Amino acid sequence: MFSNDFLLSLLSAKHIVILTGAGISAESGIATFRDAQTGLWERYDPAVLASADGYLADKSLVWGWYEWRRTQVLTAQPNAGHLAIAELAGYVARVTLITQNVDDLHERAGSRSVIHLHGSLHQPRCFQCAEPYVFANEIPTIAPAGERIEPPSCKCCGGSIRPGVVWFGEMLPEAAWQSAEDAILDCDALFSIGTSSLVRPAANLPDMAIIRGAKVIQINPGPTPLDAKVHYNFTGKAGEILPALVKALADLVS
Ligand code: OAD
């Protein structure tokens, strides 16, 4: 599946960027957004559930929906794709991992310094004053889908706590975006894994890497707008292709 030239180019790279999307967590049982039938935005309205206006219109509906998603993540486990990405770092001089995902499965697989472009389900904050809110340690049980849950109140100002994810119409966290751009300016190769490459500005990162002369590699079972632009396109599941890649690298260096 992998040519020696391809594997050697990874081993000799000075800096590889890995950009992941919802597809990397699909094999952990976490729904993607746009896959037909199973995608969250196929079943739920993002205008209601992923916008500040939607939150202000019905806080308990929105908070309950994110509690359903957060508790699903708490009970899920990293899959072979997450684990292989963490292992890949052992074969390459430098890896920067950028994710659009709001779960913590990369971290739980052992990846460090993950750049979260779209925030985190696990780091909510006050809607009014932005003070972070810390969840109590809890035994994970999945909140029922569709249950309305009143958001907690901010200890500082009494405002309502909102999910810590980036909603439509909002800016990406500035420091995360800056780190992502810096990594792109410095990388020799970029992996785009499990993302539909439809949501900007994250979807601009592979284009920026291509313009800079970096090699772009995609892993995805379905078609994306990147197909026509990438240097290597591996069609299939991240949880199958990534472990095979790590094994091929291990075989080559042994
Ligand atoms: P999408 O749902 O748009 O795309 C998921 C991609 O994963 C699709 O291209 C699938 O083909 C692919 N996929 C499915 N199973 C896979 C597997 N086992 N291995 C590899 N790939 C697989 O998700 P994103 O591109 O991440 O924003 O969506 C981008 C953003 O849109 C999300 O971060 C979210 C959403 O609105 C926020 O949460 C702020």
Side-chain angles (χ1 to χ4, degrees), residues 20-24 26-27 32-35 41 69 100-102 118 165-168 193-199 219-224 236-239:
T20 64
I24 189 76
E27 290 159 83
T32 64
F33 294 92
R34 296 175 183 80
D35 279 301
W41 297 153
R69 289 181 55 202
Q100 297 165 80
N101 296 348
V102 293
H118 292 165
V165 309
V166 176
W167 283 331
F168 289 103
I193 303 172
T195 173
S196 58
S197 295
L198 291 171
V199 176
I219 300 175
N220 198 312
T224 80
K237 293 181 173 179

Side-chain angles (χ1 to χ4, degrees), residues 1-14 16 88 91-93 189 191 215 217 219 232 234 241-254:
M1 183 193 289
F2 310 108
S3 70
N4 262 10
D5 280 356
F6 171 64
L7 296 172
L8 289 169
S9 72
L10 297 183
L11 291 174
S12 63
K14 292 191 184 69
I16 291 181
L88 198 60
Y91 293 95
V92 177
F191 281 80
K215 294 278 183 270
I217 305 124
I219 300 175
Y232 300 93
F234 297 104
I241 292 174
L242 283 164
L245 174 61
V246 170
K247 183 173 181 313
L249 290 171
D251 289 348
L252 198 62
V253 298
S254 67

Side-chain angles (χ1 to χ4, degrees), residues 26-224:
E27 290 159 83
S28 294
I30 306 299
T32 64
F33 294 92
R34 296 175 183 80
D35 279 301
Q37 280 146 16
T38 57
L40 290 173
W41 297 153
E42 299 292 317
R43 295 178 286 148
Y44 299 97
D45 184 353
V48 173
L49 295 164
S51 74
D53 285 348
Y55 175 75
L56 291 174
D58 195 340
K59 289 180 191 163
S60 57
L61 176 79
V62 173
W63 184 258
W65 191 72
Y66 283 91
E67 278 300 274
W68 169 64
R69 289 181 55 202
R70 183 179 71 89
T71 51
Q72 272 182 335
V73 169
L74 289 177
T75 54
Q77 296 302 326
N79 65 54
H82 296 108
L83 294 167
I85 287 176
E87 270 185 68
L88 198 60
Y91 293 95
V92 177
R94 185 176 166 213
V95 169
T96 298
L97 177 54
I98 305 170
T99 189
Q100 297 165 80
N101 296 348
V102 293
D103 63 47
D104 61 353
L105 294 173
H106 280 307
E107 285 88 346
R108 283 160 53 199
S111 289
R112 296 286 161 257
S113 307
V114 184
I115 297 171
H116 281 269
L117 287 182
H118 292 165
S120 166
L121 287 169
H122 310 285
Q123 291 170 4
R125 63 180 185 276
C126 177
F127 187 86
Q128 270 173 215
C129 74
E131 177 72 12
Y133 174 81
V134 180
F135 286 110
N137 271 339
E138 60 211 317
I139 300 163
T141 48
I142 300 177
E147 187 177 65
R148 291 182 131 74
I149 302 173
E150 193 60 31
S153 298
C154 175
K155 286 198 180 94
C156 291
C157 74
S160 298
I161 302 299
R162 59 159 282 174
V165 309
V166 176
W167 283 331
F168 289 103
E170 295 184 326
M171 300 288 286
L172 268 49
E174 209 177 310
W177 180 251
Q178 190 59 57
S179 303
E181 271 193 336
D182 290 349
I184 296 294
L185 293 178
D186 181 58
C187 75
D188 326 87
L190 176 143
F191 281 80
S192 176
I193 303 172
T195 173
S196 58
S197 295
L198 291 171
V199 176
R200 299 188 185 281
N204 292 338
L205 295 172
D207 291 330
M208 289 162 59
I210 290 169
I211 290 166
R212 271 207 66 256
K215 294 278 183 270
V216 173
I217 305 124
Q218 180 173 244
I219 300 175
N220 198 312
T224 80

